[in-house]
Amino acid sequence: LQPLCDEPGVDVRVYVMGENVMAAVKRTSQSDFRSNYSLGGQVALFEPTKEQMHCIRRLQNALGSDYIGIDFILHQGQWVVNEIEDAAGARMLYSLTDIDFISLYWDQIEKRLKEGTNNG
């Protein structure tokens, strides 16, 4: 039911752990509106825009999540939030970076346990 954005095959996933933006990846596909890495999308590290960062901060403050992926699509020249995933895969990041997400996520979990909170 959702209309197709006017620039299909392009999106950005931003990985957020706790209060930190860990990385962002721009995904593109020349053959499909879906740019998923697992479907053959091309990936490259991406620097989030000032507007995206503002949106990311607002979402993280509202959600208080330990680890999420925030996906933006491009529509009418603007990055628009498409979805927020609490089980965002990191295969792209393993192929593009040497970030040890498992260790960082474990550290985040330990931090939450010490704080006595569990916000998922």
Side-chain angles (χ1 to χ4, degrees):
L1 298 175
Q2 177 180 341
L4 187 61
C5 61
D6 65 359
E7 294 199 38
V10 178
D11 74 355
V12 168
R13 169 160 297 162
V14 180
Y15 292 88
V16 182
M17 193 169 302
E19 302 296 321
N20 302 308
V21 172
M22 303 306 298
V25 177
K26 185 175 184 180
R27 306 182 291 188
T28 58
S29 174
Q30 301 299 317
S31 60
D32 196 343
F33 74 94
R34 297 168 297 180
S35 55
N36 303 56
Y37 185 59
S38 62
L39 298 175
Q42 302 300 307
V43 296
L45 292 176
F46 179 83
E47 186 69 33
T49 67
K50 185 169 73 170
E51 292 80 12
Q52 284 172 314
M53 287 301 296
H54 178 72
C55 185
I56 292 162
R57 296 288 179 227
R58 289 184 64 201
L59 288 168
Q60 181 56 7
N61 286 338
L63 298 172
S65 298
D66 289 322
Y67 173 64
I68 55 175
I70 303 172
D71 292 354
F72 292 86
I73 55 175
L74 197 52
H75 185 66
Q76 297 180 354
Q78 300 291 318
W79 289 107
V80 180
V81 173
N82 183 51
E83 67 179 327
I84 302 167
E85 294 189 52
D86 65 342
R91 285 178 298 226
M92 296 180 291
L93 292 174
Y94 291 129
S95 72
L96 294 171
T97 73
D98 61 356
I99 298 171
D100 183 354
F101 278 88
I102 299 300
S103 293
L104 294 173
Y105 192 34
W106 183 254
D107 292 344
Q108 178 66 23
I109 292 168
E110 286 182 325
K111 176 183 170 190
R112 288 289 191 171
L113 289 173
K114 287 177 184 173
E115 293 172 352
T117 61
N118 183 4
N119 291 332

